[in-house]
């Protein structure tokens, strides 16, 4: 009996020691186990990425009827030149210096280089009907038929947009109004993706309000975009989908309104983004791979893999300079970012997913990055994006390596947020320095985290815990909705919306009326607050749609008290 008791005690002690060793291995101050940093893969990836070549033959759009007077619709001439170039075996379609009005999309074809000479300025129309019929796209990670991107290609090879000219999407002339009214279509599309409705039945053209992207090659090979300036995109700016061998080089992306991501390769293989300059409201670069089960491999999804991001300038982003996700359900792997400069961003590095996505992000390598300031985190890695932490399909986050990163200021140094049901694994920060931060480092549910010379030199505020930050942002008890408002308040707010819509004179009265009717039929207001001021009931209301955010205070009887 005594022998059994001693044996039992020994077993308990052994188990306790084993648990201690396991717990300590999840968080390390020095790299006792050296991670494979993976950079040896880069030469082989670069060897596969090659710019397409084109026959030495030019097709000048002026020979097809284009007039650089900023009034004549030059789309027919440009498309005729593209078609002719393709039919004759390829070459360059030349856009000479001048201002050209383009009423509708340019559809590129194989072996065509759309070349914008210095001073060439293409101003795209904002009439939605110009972008019909609908074409196959991926909209926020879900496949559907929607208004054509402004520059589009479907299943083409050897295509390019090059030169020193400018593509202007003119979002501020109309498209941003659709931010007011796209929520219903967005919800319907996501539901179709979740329930795997056949793609050909996901029709979102006429009568719907999902904004088109600016440049979207879809299922193309050998894509080359170089030298141009792209600005005022209605939605994501450069968005290759299901493409292979993609180069984006020496491109300048200037901001539009909201959702104006600079370059979002989605489910693409062998991609090089280099020597570019990004100035956007949303993510500068966001690597994506589709949304939820519509993008899983068994349902036709594909990964984004073998992506190199180097020698770029990230001038400004309210979101992430270099982001992955949140639409990443087909998985993202083998991402290499080096020798980049970040001036100002919400996050310098932003890797995001939630428990509906599935898929994995793995093998992300970052080195030699200089950062001026981050409005939020120097690095934010989270599995609870938008508060969704209770779904059944959490993503896998594995093997991230950050080396030789210097950040002058970040409001919050770093945040890594795994989940009890799904930890984040194998992250190394080596020679990672933040000069000044208001808050330090937060780490939750993470294993094999290595800090090797990770320094925050100065913390200017007390660190706060964010243990409750994974609460859902969906409907909350006590929150006010449109249905809760007095009719007089609703009418006043609708009149304010209508007055904003009426300022957009670049489109037809019918297009403006479509926006008014759509908003009135299903108003979705960003925020509603009720307060009592000097015995009077006041409703504070806010609607977010790009640079024209509306903030008002309306009395219970419908009287307008304050408007931004």
């Amino acid at each position: 009996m005594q022998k059994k008791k001693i044996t039992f005690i020994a077993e308990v002690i052994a188990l306790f020691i084993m648990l201690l060793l396991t717990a300590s291995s999840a968080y390390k101050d020095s790299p006792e186990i050296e991670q494979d940093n993976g950079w040896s893969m880069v030469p082989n990836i670069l060897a596969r990425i090659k710019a397409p070549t084109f026959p030495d033959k030019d097709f000048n759009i002026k020979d097809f009827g284009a007039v650089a007077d900023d009034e004549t619709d030059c789309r027919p001439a440009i498309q005729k030149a593209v078609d002719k170039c393709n039919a004759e075996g390829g070459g360059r379609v030349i856009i000479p210096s001048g201002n050209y009005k383009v009423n509708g999309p340019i559809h590129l074809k194989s072996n065509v280089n759309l070349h914008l000479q210095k001073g060439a300025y293409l101003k795209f129309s904002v009439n939605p009907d110009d972008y019909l019929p609908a074409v196959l796209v991926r909209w926020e990670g879900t496949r559907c038929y929607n208004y054509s991107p402004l520059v589009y290609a479907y299943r083409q090879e050897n295509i390019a947009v090059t030169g020193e000219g400018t593509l202007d999407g003119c979002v501020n002339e109309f498209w941003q109004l659709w931010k007011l009214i796209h929520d219903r279509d967005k919800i319907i599309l996501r539901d179709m993706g979740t329930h795997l409705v056949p793609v050909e039945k996901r029709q979102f053209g006429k009568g719907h309000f999902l904004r088109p992207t600016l440049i979207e090659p879809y299922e193309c090979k050998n894509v080359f975009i170089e030298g141009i300036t792209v600005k005022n995109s209605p939605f994501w700016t450069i968005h290759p989908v299901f493409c292979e061998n993609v180069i984006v080089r020496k491109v300048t992306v200037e901001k539009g309104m909201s959702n104006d991501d600079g370059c979002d390769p989605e489910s693409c293989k062998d991609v090089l983004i280099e020597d570019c300059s990004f100035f956007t409201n949303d993510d500068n670069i966001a690597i994506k791979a589709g949304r939820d089960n519509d993008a899983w491999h068994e349902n036709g999804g594909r990964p984004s893999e073998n992506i190199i991001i180097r020698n770029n300038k990230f001038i400004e982003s309210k979101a992430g300079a270099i982001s992955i996700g949140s639409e990443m359900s087909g998985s993202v792997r083998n991402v290499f970012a080096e020798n980049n400069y970040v001036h100002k961003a919400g996050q310098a590095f932003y890797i995001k997913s939630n428990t509906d996505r599935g898929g994995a992000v793995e093998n992300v390598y970052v080195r030699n990055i200089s950062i001026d300031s981050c409005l939020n985190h120097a690095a934010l890695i989270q599995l609870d994006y938008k508060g969704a932490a209770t779904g059944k399909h959490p993503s896998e986050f594995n093997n991230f390596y950050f080396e030789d990163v210097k950040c002058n200021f970040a409001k919050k140094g770093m945040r890594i947020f795994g989940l009890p049901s799904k930890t984040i694994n194998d992250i190394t920060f080596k020679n990672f320095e933040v000069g000044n931060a208001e808050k330090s480092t937060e780490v939750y549910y993470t294993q094999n985290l290595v800090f090797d010379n990770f320094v925050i030199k100065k913390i200017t505020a007390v660190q706060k815990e964010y243990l409750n930050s994974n609460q859902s942002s969906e409907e909350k008890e006590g929150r006010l909705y449109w249905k809760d408002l007095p009719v007089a308040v609703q009418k006043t707010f609708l009149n304010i919306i209508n007055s904003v819509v009426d300022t957009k004179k670049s489109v037809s009265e019918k297009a403006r009326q479509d926006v008014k009717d759509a908003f009135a039929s299903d108003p979705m207001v960003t925020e509603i607050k009720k307060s009592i001021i000097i015995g009077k009931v006041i409703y504070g209301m806010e609607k977010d749609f790009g640079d024209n955010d509306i903030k008002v205070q309306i009395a219970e009887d419908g009287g307008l008290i304050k408007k931004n």
Side-chain angles (χ1 to χ4, degrees):
M1 185 73 178
Q2 183 70 19
K3 184 177 180 182
K4 286 185 178 179
K5 186 175 180 181
I6 293 171
T7 302
F8 175 74
I9 293 172
E11 288 176 349
V12 170
I13 292 171
L15 178 63
F16 180 71
I17 292 171
M18 183 180 71
L19 289 173
L20 280 176
L21 290 172
T22 302
S24 65
S25 70
Y27 186 92
K28 302 174 183 169
D29 288 322
S30 61
E32 295 173 11
I33 301 175
E34 183 71 22
Q35 280 185 297
D36 174 16
N37 65 23
W39 286 100
S40 60
M41 297 173 62
V42 170
N44 288 333
I45 295 172
L46 288 173
R48 293 193 300 269
I49 300 175
K50 298 182 184 298
T53 58
F54 301 91
D56 188 16
K57 191 172 183 180
D58 290 345
F59 299 79
N60 192 312
I61 64 168
K62 289 191 173 181
D63 295 335
F64 294 83
V67 181
D69 60 2
D70 204 20
E71 294 181 1
T72 303
D73 178 16
C74 296
R75 178 183 178 264
I78 296 172
Q79 196 61 55
K80 285 178 184 177
V82 168
D83 295 346
K84 183 76 168 175
C85 180
N86 167 258
E88 295 192 7
R92 294 193 310 173
V93 171
I94 300 295
I95 314 287
S97 178
N99 296 328
Y100 300 90
K101 185 178 182 182
V102 184
N103 291 347
I106 299 170
H107 285 190
L108 294 180
K109 295 187 177 180
S110 293
N111 302 312
V112 173
N113 176 2
L114 184 69
H115 184 76
L116 285 69
Q117 293 183 338
K118 187 173 183 179
Y121 195 101
L122 270 59
K123 184 176 180 181
F124 287 88
S125 67
V126 294
N127 178 15
D129 288 349
D130 290 343
Y131 298 90
L132 295 172
V135 298
L136 181 59
V137 298
R138 234 186 189 177
W139 199 90
E140 275 196 349
T142 305
R143 293 166 292 172
C144 68
Y145 285 83
N146 192 38
Y147 293 92
S148 174
L150 281 54
V151 178
Y152 179 71
Y154 178 67
R155 290 185 173 173
Q156 305 297 309
E157 293 190 17
N158 304 326
I159 58 174
V161 184
T162 65
E164 299 180 68
T166 299
L167 302 177
D168 186 348
C170 298
V171 61
N172 56 335
E173 292 189 14
F174 176 73
W175 290 114
Q176 88 275 17
L177 292 180
W178 280 12
K179 176 83 170 180
L180 283 168
I181 54 176
H182 74 181
D183 289 327
R184 183 173 181 273
D185 285 328
K186 182 166 67 172
I187 291 167
I188 292 171
L189 175 59
R190 290 177 179 176
D191 187 69
M192 286 179 165
T194 299
H195 290 92
L196 301 178
V197 171
V199 175
E200 61 271 15
K201 293 185 178 180
R202 306 177 195 176
Q203 298 289 337
F204 287 84
K206 187 75 171 175
H208 298 274
F209 305 98
L210 301 179
R211 291 165 287 160
T213 56
L214 207 155
I215 301 175
E216 185 166 328
Y218 192 103
E219 285 193 17
C220 295
K221 290 184 178 180
N222 310 331
V223 177
F224 186 40
I225 303 173
E226 182 182 51
I228 62 170
T229 295
V230 195
K231 61 192 293 186
N232 295 324
S233 178
F235 198 58
W236 297 349
T237 305
I238 300 172
H239 182 217
V241 179
F242 298 131
C243 291
E244 186 173 340
N245 186 27
V246 177
I247 299 174
V248 181
R249 176 182 291 149
K250 296 181 181 178
V251 170
T252 298
V253 178
E254 297 181 6
K255 68 193 301 191
M257 296 289 184
S258 55
N259 310 117
D260 61 342
D261 295 23
C263 184
D264 291 3
E266 183 162 15
S267 295
C268 292
K269 181 179 180 180
D270 294 340
V271 178
L272 174 62
I273 305 170
E274 65 178 354
D275 299 317
C276 295
S277 178
F278 295 96
F279 179 27
T280 63
N281 288 301
D282 215 320
D283 293 316
N284 291 153
I285 290 175
I287 301 167
K288 299 180 180 291
R291 182 186 182 93
D292 299 346
N293 57 319
D294 183 59
W296 295 348
H297 178 74
E298 59 266 32
N299 299 324
R302 304 176 208 169
S304 274
E305 58 186 342
N306 308 334
I307 296 173
I308 298 172
I309 302 167
R310 65 184 186 185
N311 304 322
N312 299 288
K313 293 181 180 179
F314 300 98
I315 307 303
E316 186 172 328
S317 166
K318 294 177 183 176
I322 299 173
S323 298
I324 300 175
S326 73
E327 300 87 358
M328 45 57 64
S329 301
S331 295
V332 176
R333 55 179 175 253
N334 306 338
V335 177
F336 301 88
E338 64 176 335
N339 304 327
N340 296 291
Y341 164 70
V342 179
H343 175 58
K344 182 167 70 174
Q347 280 78 216
F349 313 109
Y350 192 6
I351 305 176
K352 47 189 172 177
S353 182
N354 63 36
T355 54
D356 296 325
R357 296 286 188 264
V361 178
E362 56 190 3
N363 305 336
V364 177
Y365 304 101
V366 176
R367 68 184 180 189
N368 300 334
I369 309 291
S370 175
I371 306 162
D372 284 343
S373 66
C374 294
L375 303 176
N376 295 306
H377 305 84
L380 174 57
I381 302 169
Q382 61 178 144
L383 286 174
D384 65 333
Y385 180 66
K386 293 286 180 77
T390 58
K392 297 179 180 179
H393 306 287
S395 303
E396 300 269 359
F397 277 14
N398 300 310
N399 195 26
F400 303 159
Y401 195 94
F402 299 85
E403 182 178 5
D404 295 331
V405 176
K406 185 172 183 179
C407 175
N408 292 330
F409 170 81
K411 188 171 184 179
K412 306 166 188 176
M414 180 191 67
R415 185 175 192 261
I416 304 174
F417 200 104
L419 300 169
S421 61
K422 183 67 68 174
T423 59
I424 297 172
N425 302 308
D426 302 319
I427 304 180
T428 293
F429 292 90
K430 182 178 181 180
N431 301 331
F432 195 113
E433 177 183 306
V434 178
N436 190 352
E438 291 184 8
K439 298 174 184 176
S440 183
T441 300
E442 300 174 75
V443 179
Y444 305 103
Y445 304 109
T446 300
Q447 295 191 48
N448 298 330
L449 173 62
V450 176
F451 284 162
D452 179 10
N453 193 27
F454 178 93
V455 178
I456 297 179
K457 287 190 171 181
K458 183 178 180 183
I459 299 174
T460 56
V462 177
Q463 177 182 355
K464 294 182 180 179
E465 297 288 338
Y466 286 82
L467 294 176
N468 298 320
S469 62
N470 63 336
Q471 294 180 356
S472 172
S473 60
E474 302 300 322
E475 285 202 15
K476 297 178 182 178
E477 185 178 351
R479 181 176 173 180
L480 288 174
Y481 295 91
W482 182 264
K483 60 183 174 58
D484 303 318
L485 297 173
V487 173
V489 174
Q490 292 178 348
K491 286 183 177 179
T492 298
F493 194 73
L494 287 176
N495 287 337
I496 292 168
I497 294 291
N498 291 344
S499 67
V500 172
V501 173
D502 282 333
T503 64
K504 307 303 177 183
K505 304 296 185 183
S506 297
V507 295
S508 66
E509 183 177 345
K510 183 181 185 308
R512 296 196 298 272
Q513 190 61 48
D514 286 345
V515 174
K516 296 177 187 177
D517 293 344
F519 187 82
S521 67
D522 191 16
M524 292 191 180
V525 182
T526 308
E527 188 173 17
I528 303 173
K529 292 182 178 179
K530 181 179 178 181
S531 58
I532 298 177
I533 302 175
I534 318 179
K536 236 180 158 180
V537 177
I538 304 296
Y539 291 90
M541 302 173 67
E542 181 177 341
K543 179 60 184 177
D544 172 17
F545 66 109
D547 286 356
N548 287 330
D549 293 359
I550 295 173
K551 296 179 182 179
V552 296
Q553 290 182 349
I554 302 173
E556 192 172 25
D557 61 3
L560 180 61
I561 296 174
K562 184 179 179 182
K563 179 177 179 295
N564 67 332

